[in-house]
């Protein structure tokens, strides 16, 4: 029959659901494997850029299931958040309705892709049965001093009278009305992540299965630095700006001070400036820029002079105070002394704005190259009484001197700051705190959890938290003294939801605790976690923090929640990342309707390695469909001619041995490419090579399929031919099944009618026969002085002495060595020979 993917896919998706094929429970007799993709925000419609991640995780889950592991592969929805509330404002639809409708649509999309999720474990963070445990954990953190309240700066729109998230600030103005955004100080809730800062950064050195780029980003974000805090007095007032520096030895080269746009002095300087509105707008523009880009320096360096001046306490000279976008409020004191001669970012900034760049440290080897800063240690120059000292000695001496002078002290600083979780919005977890005039801040008792979101019906985007306008929610009684009190109306940052969901998946129906510790002890940690690089900092750091909180509460025994991490590359269309705003999204439903889910799955895995970006092309998808049609014709054509029989390996001819060798080298290569290498594109290439070999073998035996439905099954004369063909085809179908599960299931039931109700998903992964895979001959390139001169063919068992003798005697090699002295013959792992020669009588040169 013809390959009809949509028909086959509907059949097997229904079968997997009916048989509960991917549902699992704990089983101590089997090794476990927990495969997890970062769960989805239900924005409405998934595009192929989203689903690439889910397909990667599914390939890993399906492969490990076939390799004998008890596989947990769940999915859920990061369902709270600002977009739902914005939709309520714009479209007059309740956030819950918008969210649940989107979940239903996106779930259907994923099911149509055949991803092997344990859907019975599905969670949505906007449901009370989930956010109940956010609140439960918050009360424990509050009692331990890990959750606390303090005044903090927020974005404020005076027109709407509301707090704005950073993403709601557009070009310095309110996203809704355009009014210039200002900074206001409000009481906010924080989680004390800094209590674990040392542990979080120290553990990174042991996480060798995470991408180095992610580890570096986390180290930089936590930003542990040893240095000194130094006060730069403000000119004209009895105040000082405190800066933190790791290189106090360069302070004589500090020619200006830079403040983060979030620094507390910025609003005061704005109010006292000639143009307060323009000052605030410029600062807000910097605040609204991507925080990660500001951290890494990827953002274009910009700043402006505040008009204020401080004094360098060592040179006693005035230095201007600037606001710069690459200085972060989260790092140190939010203020830095700029030393452009010895910090590259300061150098670029000073060059751009024409600020002085003195040199105060020189390397031991002499002056640094022109046009750059010298950031290393060296000898101090132009540094008053410290001139001539070496940098480490000067650092110690200057730190002692600022302490003795009372203008600073040695300090260990972190870029990481406590996590502000307050959101003055509706669609999030209510913070479970009661405000009582007599008792103060009172955590809601466990027997009154969850504090359920009320059904707010009107959303304007104006005023404070929508919950503050629901009297039946706000008005309550103190659980301690019984007097009238009010509820907290802030909701939690949605990163709280995603910081522990991987544990809830282990026990999603538990109504008495967040999860059973015994179940997490079996499934944890997550063995394979995949998601976008954009989550490399906040989500992963917060998850690592929560894991340690649960550990200290006695609920888990592990520190790190994710054993192995993959950050997959983006899918591009027309050179840009897919997004609705750019109009370049590709809907997976359209692609599956045209070519089938298996062709889509195969294409997005074949086009590039998982960690690399992919440029989408429709022609590439068509190519994947043609390949699957080719596989279908081959197997469908040969099945009737391949009866199950005992293995017939004793009397194989040369072509049969070659096909069997190709089968087993492919098994070895595909197995290794999927795990541990995660080179899914090269695994598919290996399968394509095997298909080509099968077609070539069929040609040689007169059994090539034509694709015609009326074509009779081939007659295979030799039982040995049927045996090697069946082995190769069964291996092909099994190995392609993680990539194209629907087609593989259909072909497998035809190959193995006895497979039973569960189908291919429970069948073991093919094993390598190393004897069959061993090459009978090897081909070795031969070089003379590094230039390729010949290729020699030898028995696979040839010794290095045999290889050397054959190489020296090769007809295309002899003309290049005759008359010369053979200095040495290098045989590299039996895969390359390099003969080093020189003219006779030429003495060896010194050093060569």
């Amino acid at each position: 029959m013809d390959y009809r993917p949509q028909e086959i896919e509907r059949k097997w998706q229904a079968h997997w659901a009916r048989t509960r094929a991917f549902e699992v429970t704990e089983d101590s007799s089997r090794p476990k494997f927990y495969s997890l993709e970062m769960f989805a925000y239900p924005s409405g419609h998934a595009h192929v850029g989203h689903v690439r991640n889910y397909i990667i995780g599914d390939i890993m889950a399906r492969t490990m299931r076939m390799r004998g592991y008890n596989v947990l592969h769940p999915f859920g929805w990061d369902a709270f958040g600002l977009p739902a509330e914005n939709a309520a404002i714009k479209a007059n639809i309740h956030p819950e309705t918008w969210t649940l409708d989107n979940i239903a649509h996106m779930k259907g999309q994923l099911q149509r892709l055949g991803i092997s999720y344990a859907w019975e474990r599905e969670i949505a963070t906007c449901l009370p049965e989930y956010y109940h445990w956010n609140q439960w954990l918050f009360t424990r953190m509050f009692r331990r001093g890990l959750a606390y309240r303090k005044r903090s700066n927020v974005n404020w729109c005076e027109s709407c009278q509301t707090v704005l998230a950073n993403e709601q600030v557009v070009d310095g103005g309110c996203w809704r009305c355009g009014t210039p955004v200002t900074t206001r100080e409000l009481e906010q809730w924080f989680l004390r992540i800094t209590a674990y800062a040392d542990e979080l950064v120290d553990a990174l050195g042991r996480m060798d299965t995470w991408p180095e780029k992610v580890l570096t980003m986390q180290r930089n974000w936590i930003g542990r630095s040893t240095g000194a805090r130094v006060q730069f007095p403000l000119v004209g007032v009895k105040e000082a700006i405190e800066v933190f520096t790791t290189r106090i030895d360069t302070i004589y080269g500090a020619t200006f001070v830079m403040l983060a746009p979030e620094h507390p002095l910025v609003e005061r300087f704005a109010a006292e400036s000639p143009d307060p509105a323009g000052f605030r707008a410029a600062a807000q523009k910097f605040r609204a820029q991507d925080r990660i880009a500001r951290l890494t320096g990827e953002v274009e360096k910009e700043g402006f002079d505040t008009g204020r001046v401080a004094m360098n306490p060592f040179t006693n000279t005035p230095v201007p105070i600037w606001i710069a976008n690459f200085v972060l409020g989260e790092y140190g004191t939010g203020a830095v002394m700029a030393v452009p001669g010895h910090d590259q970012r300061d150098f670029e900034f000073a060059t751009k704005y024409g600020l002085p760049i003195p040199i105060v440290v020189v390397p031991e080897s002499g002056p640094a190259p022109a046009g750059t800063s010298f950031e290393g240690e060296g000898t101090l120059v132009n540094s008053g009484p410290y001139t001539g000292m070496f940098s480490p000695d000067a650092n110690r001496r200057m730190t002692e001197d600022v302490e003795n002078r009372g203008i600073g002290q040695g300090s260990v600083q972190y870029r990481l700051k406590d996590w502000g979780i307050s959101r003055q919005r509706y669609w999030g977890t209510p913070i479970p705190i009661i405000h009582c005039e007599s008792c103060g801040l009172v955590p809601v008792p466990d027997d009154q959890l969850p504090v359920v979101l009320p059904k707010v019906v009107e959303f304007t985007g104006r005023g404070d938290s929508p919950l503050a306008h629901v009297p039946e929610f706000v008005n309550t009684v103190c659980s301690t003294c019984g007097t009238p009190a009010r509820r907290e109306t802030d909701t939690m940052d949605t990163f709280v939801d995603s910081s522990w969901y991987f544990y809830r998946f282990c026990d999603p129906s538990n109504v008495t605790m967040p999860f059973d510790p015994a179940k997490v002890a079996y499934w944890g940690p997550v063995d394979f976690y995949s998601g976008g690089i954009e989550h490399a900092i906040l989500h992963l750091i917060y998850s690592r923090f929560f894991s340690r909180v649960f550990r200290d509460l006695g609920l888990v025994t592990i520190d790190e929640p994710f054993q192995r991490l993959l950050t997959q590359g983006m899918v591009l269309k027309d050179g840009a990342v897919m997004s609705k705003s750019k109009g370049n999204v590709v809907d997976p439903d359209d692609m599956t309707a045209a070519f089938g889910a298996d062709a889509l799955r195969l294409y997005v895995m074949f086009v590039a390695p998982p960690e690399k970006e992919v440029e989408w092309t429709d022609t590439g998808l068509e190519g994947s469909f043609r390949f699957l049609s080719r596989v279908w014709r081959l197997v469908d054509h040969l099945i009737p001619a391949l009866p199950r029989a005992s293995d017939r390996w004793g009397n194989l001819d040369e072509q049969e041995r070659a096909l069997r060798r190709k089968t087993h080298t492919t098994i070895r290569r595909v197995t290794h490419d999927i795990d541990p290498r995660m080179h899914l594109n090269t695994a598919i290439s290996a399968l394509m090579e095997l298909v080509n070999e099968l077609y070539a073998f069929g040609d040689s035996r007169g059994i090539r399929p034509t694709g015609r439905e009326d074509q009779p099954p081939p007659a295979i004369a030799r039982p040995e031919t049927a045996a090697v063909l069946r082995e190769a085809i069964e291996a092909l179908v099994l190995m392609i099944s993680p990539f194209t599960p629907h087609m593989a299931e259909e072909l497998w039931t035809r190959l193995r009618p006895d497979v039973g109700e569960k189908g291919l998903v429970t069948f073991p992964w093919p094993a390598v026969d190393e004897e069959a895979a061993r090459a009978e001959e090897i081909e070795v390139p031969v070089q003379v002085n590094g230039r390729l001169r010949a290729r020699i063919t030898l028995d696979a068992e040839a010794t290095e002495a045999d290889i050397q003798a054959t190489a020296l005697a090769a007809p295309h090699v002899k003309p290049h060595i005759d008359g010369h002295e053979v200095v040495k013959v290098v045989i590299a792992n039996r895969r390359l020979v390099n003969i080093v020669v020189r003219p006779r009588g030429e003495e060896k040169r010194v050093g060569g």
Side-chain angles (χ1 to χ4, degrees):
M1 61 175 283
D2 291 338
Y3 176 45
R4 303 184 182 99
Q6 292 81 5
E7 177 183 320
I8 292 168
E9 288 161 9
R10 285 193 298 270
K11 169 186 173 181
W12 285 102
Q13 287 160 16
H15 175 87
W16 294 328
R18 185 180 69 255
T19 60
R20 304 177 65 247
F22 310 120
E23 305 300 335
V24 290
T25 57
E26 298 73 34
D27 182 354
S28 59
S29 68
R30 297 170 61 196
K32 67 90 182 179
F33 190 85
Y34 188 172
S35 182
L36 185 65
E37 302 90 66
M38 295 179 187
F39 65 175
Y41 182 76
S43 57
H45 290 248
H47 58 66
V48 295
H50 298 137
V51 302
R52 186 185 189 210
N53 180 37
Y54 310 141
I55 295 169
I56 292 169
D58 190 45
I59 289 166
M60 183 61 75
R62 286 178 176 275
T63 301
M64 301 309 286
R65 192 178 288 112
M66 294 174 70
R67 289 174 65 177
Y69 287 83
N70 191 27
V71 174
L72 174 61
H73 188 210
F75 198 76
W77 310 96
D78 193 8
F80 273 139
L82 185 60
E85 202 154 331
N86 289 347
I89 296 168
K90 292 179 180 179
N92 195 29
I93 182 172
H94 195 276
E96 182 178 51
T97 303
W98 186 84
T99 300
L100 296 182
D101 286 350
N102 289 348
I103 286 174
H105 181 85
M106 293 179 69
K107 181 176 179 179
Q109 288 184 293
L110 298 182
Q111 290 174 326
R112 285 187 289 277
L113 287 169
I115 299 178
S116 61
Y117 288 134
W119 282 112
E120 292 176 13
R121 293 174 181 260
E122 179 184 11
I123 59 176
T125 60
C126 65
L127 299 178
E129 50 264 35
Y130 184 86
Y131 67 73
H132 175 167
W133 303 109
N134 287 346
Q135 296 172 343
W136 180 94
L137 180 61
F138 182 92
T139 62
R140 269 69 184 168
M141 296 175 78
F142 178 78
R143 294 185 182 107
R144 288 171 170 250
L146 294 175
Y148 66 95
R149 202 164 180 252
K150 71 172 183 178
R151 297 191 71 80
S152 177
N153 289 334
V154 296
N155 300 316
W156 180 260
C157 175
E158 188 63 32
S159 173
C160 296
Q161 288 290 296
T162 190
V163 173
L164 301 176
N166 284 337
E167 59 268 31
Q168 291 178 306
V169 180
V170 180
D171 295 329
C174 172
W175 71 281
R176 189 175 187 277
C177 68
T179 300
V181 172
T182 60
T183 301
R184 175 171 287 196
E185 198 174 51
L186 294 178
E187 289 284 341
Q188 301 280 285
W189 285 98
F190 290 82
L191 299 183
R192 204 179 302 276
I193 190 173
T194 54
Y196 293 88
D198 282 326
E199 190 177 341
L200 289 169
V201 73
D202 289 342
L204 295 173
R206 301 186 292 272
M207 297 164 64
D208 55 5
T209 53
W210 279 37
E212 188 58 41
K213 180 179 181 180
V214 174
L215 298 176
T216 298
M217 291 170 75
Q218 292 218 355
R219 285 191 189 96
N220 290 342
W221 189 261
I222 297 170
R224 181 172 62 193
S225 304
T226 301
R229 297 166 75 105
V230 184
Q231 294 175 8
F232 278 60
L234 287 169
V235 173
V237 294
K238 293 184 178 180
E239 290 182 65
I241 293 176
E242 187 173 59
V243 306
F244 172 75
T245 176
T246 60
R247 292 292 304 275
I248 194 174
D249 60 307
T250 66
I251 197 167
Y252 277 82
T255 55
F256 55 103
V257 170
M258 295 186 293
L259 302 182
E262 299 86 359
H263 194 282
L265 282 174
V266 169
E267 175 57 29
R268 179 176 136 193
F269 287 175
E272 296 172 355
S273 72
D275 180 15
F279 193 114
R280 291 186 180 106
Q284 185 56 48
K285 173 188 172 185
F286 296 163
R287 289 190 203 105
Q289 291 175 334
D290 183 81
R291 294 169 74 195
I292 295 176
R294 289 174 61 198
L295 166 67
T296 60
E298 294 173 6
V299 68
E300 180 184 353
K301 296 171 184 63
E302 296 181 277
F304 64 91
D305 191 342
T306 65
R308 307 297 287 263
V309 178
M311 295 293 291
N312 184 322
F314 276 72
T315 65
N316 291 317
T317 57
V319 291
I321 301 171
W322 285 64
I323 294 175
N325 64 340
F326 62 97
V327 180
L328 296 177
E330 294 91 346
Y331 180 63
T333 64
V336 298
M337 65 180 201
V339 185
H342 304 289
D343 181 280
Q344 186 61 30
R345 297 207 299 181
D346 297 352
F347 175 85
E348 293 170 8
F349 189 87
T351 301
K352 180 174 183 176
Y353 292 105
L355 297 165
I357 307 175
I359 302 300
V360 295
V361 179
V362 295
E364 294 289 285
S365 57
T372 62
S373 66
F374 171 62
E375 298 183 330
E377 296 179 339
T379 302
L380 271 62
V381 296
N382 305 319
S383 297
Y386 308 97
T387 296
M389 297 183 70
F390 193 55
S391 290
D393 299 325
N395 267 317
R396 287 190 291 271
R397 175 72 176 275
M398 289 179 168
T399 301
E400 291 173 0
D401 287 352
V402 296
E403 290 178 346
N404 291 334
R405 292 169 58 187
I407 60 169
Q409 60 184 358
S411 178
V412 176
Q413 293 288 316
Y414 298 89
R415 177 174 284 114
L416 181 71
K417 298 299 181 184
D418 284 341
W419 173 11
I421 66 163
S422 282
R423 299 295 180 267
Q424 289 73 38
R425 299 196 290 272
Y426 167 73
W427 196 234
T429 300
I431 293 177
I433 290 291
I434 295 170
H435 296 263
C436 174
E437 289 191 5
S438 300
C439 304
L441 300 175
V442 179
V444 175
D446 287 355
D447 61 4
Q448 295 179 25
L449 296 178
V451 176
V452 178
L453 274 174
K455 198 78 170 182
V456 173
V457 295
E458 184 176 333
F459 294 87
T460 66
R462 298 176 183 273
D464 53 10
S465 169
L467 294 179
H469 301 284
V470 184
E472 57 271 29
F473 175 83
V474 176
N475 298 324
T476 186
V477 296
C478 176
S479 59
T480 300
C481 69
T483 61
R486 61 181 180 85
R487 291 193 187 280
E488 173 64 59
T489 58
D490 283 0
T491 54
M492 297 185 194
D493 179 6
T494 57
F495 273 113
V496 171
D497 306 322
S498 59
S499 293
W500 70 281
Y501 75 109
F502 39 87
Y503 288 149
R504 183 66 176 176
F505 275 138
C506 298
D507 191 18
S509 301
N510 200 318
V511 297
T512 60
M513 55 196 313
F515 49 80
D516 182 344
K519 292 185 177 182
V520 169
Y522 175 80
W523 290 115
V526 175
D527 296 281
F528 180 78
Y529 194 43
S530 60
I533 191 68
E534 66 271 20
H535 300 298
I537 296 180
L538 298 181
H539 162 60
L540 292 175
I541 286 181
Y542 293 156
S543 296
R544 298 177 62 221
F545 164 50
F546 266 48
S547 188
R548 286 162 169 80
V549 173
F550 277 118
R551 178 201 64 193
D552 292 348
L553 289 172
L555 291 179
V556 303
T557 57
I558 56 179
D559 297 336
E560 296 297 335
F562 311 120
Q563 180 68 27
R564 181 179 177 188
L565 176 69
L566 173 82
T567 52
Q568 94 282 356
M570 298 287 191
V571 179
L572 312 180
K573 182 81 166 20
D574 304 325
V577 175
M578 286 188 185
S579 72
K580 291 180 182 178
S581 63
K582 295 173 183 172
N584 66 343
V585 299
V586 176
D587 191 321
D589 286 353
D590 295 339
M591 299 301 103
T592 57
F595 300 102
D598 283 343
L600 175 61
R601 291 170 60 109
L602 188 76
Y603 169 61
V604 295
M605 294 300 99
F606 175 62
V607 70
E611 69 279 5
K612 301 296 184 183
E613 290 182 340
V614 171
E615 177 65 40
W616 176 269
T617 67
D618 292 347
T619 55
L621 180 58
E622 292 167 8
S624 293
F625 176 78
R626 287 194 299 272
F627 170 71
L628 294 184
S629 298
R630 198 163 178 251
V631 172
W632 179 270
R633 285 196 303 273
L634 175 73
V635 181
D636 184 62
H637 175 67
L638 290 177
I639 283 173
L642 301 177
R644 294 290 304 280
S646 58
D647 299 336
R648 313 276 292 226
W649 315 133
N651 191 32
L652 302 184
D653 62 27
E654 182 177 345
Q655 287 181 325
E656 290 162 349
R657 283 197 304 275
L659 178 59
R660 190 154 194 262
R661 182 163 58 250
K662 185 65 174 179
T663 298
H664 287 277
T665 57
T666 303
I667 295 171
R668 182 167 57 200
R669 179 177 165 187
V670 172
T671 304
H672 189 63
D673 279 356
I674 294 177
D675 183 59
R677 295 183 72 211
M678 279 303 295
H679 288 191
L680 304 181
N681 58 318
T682 59
I684 295 171
S685 294
L687 294 171
M688 290 177 170
E689 291 175 14
L690 178 59
V691 170
N692 290 339
E693 195 85 7
L694 282 163
Y695 267 89
F697 183 84
D699 281 346
S700 71
R701 302 291 160 127
I703 55 175
R704 182 182 179 88
T706 65
R708 289 169 42 197
E709 293 201 27
D710 61 349
Q711 180 185 20
I716 300 178
R718 282 173 54 83
E720 291 83 0
T721 298
V724 296
L725 272 172
R726 184 174 193 97
E727 181 186 42
I729 286 173
E730 287 192 353
L732 169 66
V733 172
L734 289 171
M735 289 187 290
I736 206 171
S737 67
F739 302 93
T740 61
H742 310 88
M743 184 185 76
E745 285 274 19
E746 184 67 22
L747 292 175
W748 191 251
T749 58
R750 299 182 184 200
L751 280 163
R752 302 289 294 267
D754 60 335
V755 72
E757 179 71 2
K758 280 286 188 180
L760 180 150
V761 296
T762 59
F763 210 85
W765 188 258
V768 180
D769 184 332
E770 293 294 349
E771 182 67 25
R774 188 167 62 247
E776 296 178 355
E777 291 183 334
I778 57 174
E779 183 181 74
V780 182
V782 181
Q783 297 177 342
V784 177
N785 286 351
R787 296 188 65 182
L788 182 65
R789 296 300 183 186
R791 295 179 184 273
I792 57 176
T793 302
L794 305 100
D795 186 272
E797 305 297 330
T799 65
E800 288 200 356
D802 295 332
I803 295 172
Q804 177 171 322
T806 305
L808 292 171
H812 292 291
V813 172
K814 288 183 66 63
H816 299 284
I817 62 175
D818 287 347
H820 294 70
E821 179 185 356
V822 176
V823 178
K824 59 183 175 180
V825 178
V826 179
I827 301 174
N829 199 28
R830 295 165 51 84
R831 295 185 178 181
L832 175 69
V833 178
N834 188 27
I835 303 169
V836 181
V837 301
R838 65 167 176 257
R840 293 191 185 279
E842 181 180 309
E843 293 187 5
K844 186 177 182 181
R845 295 182 177 88
V846 176

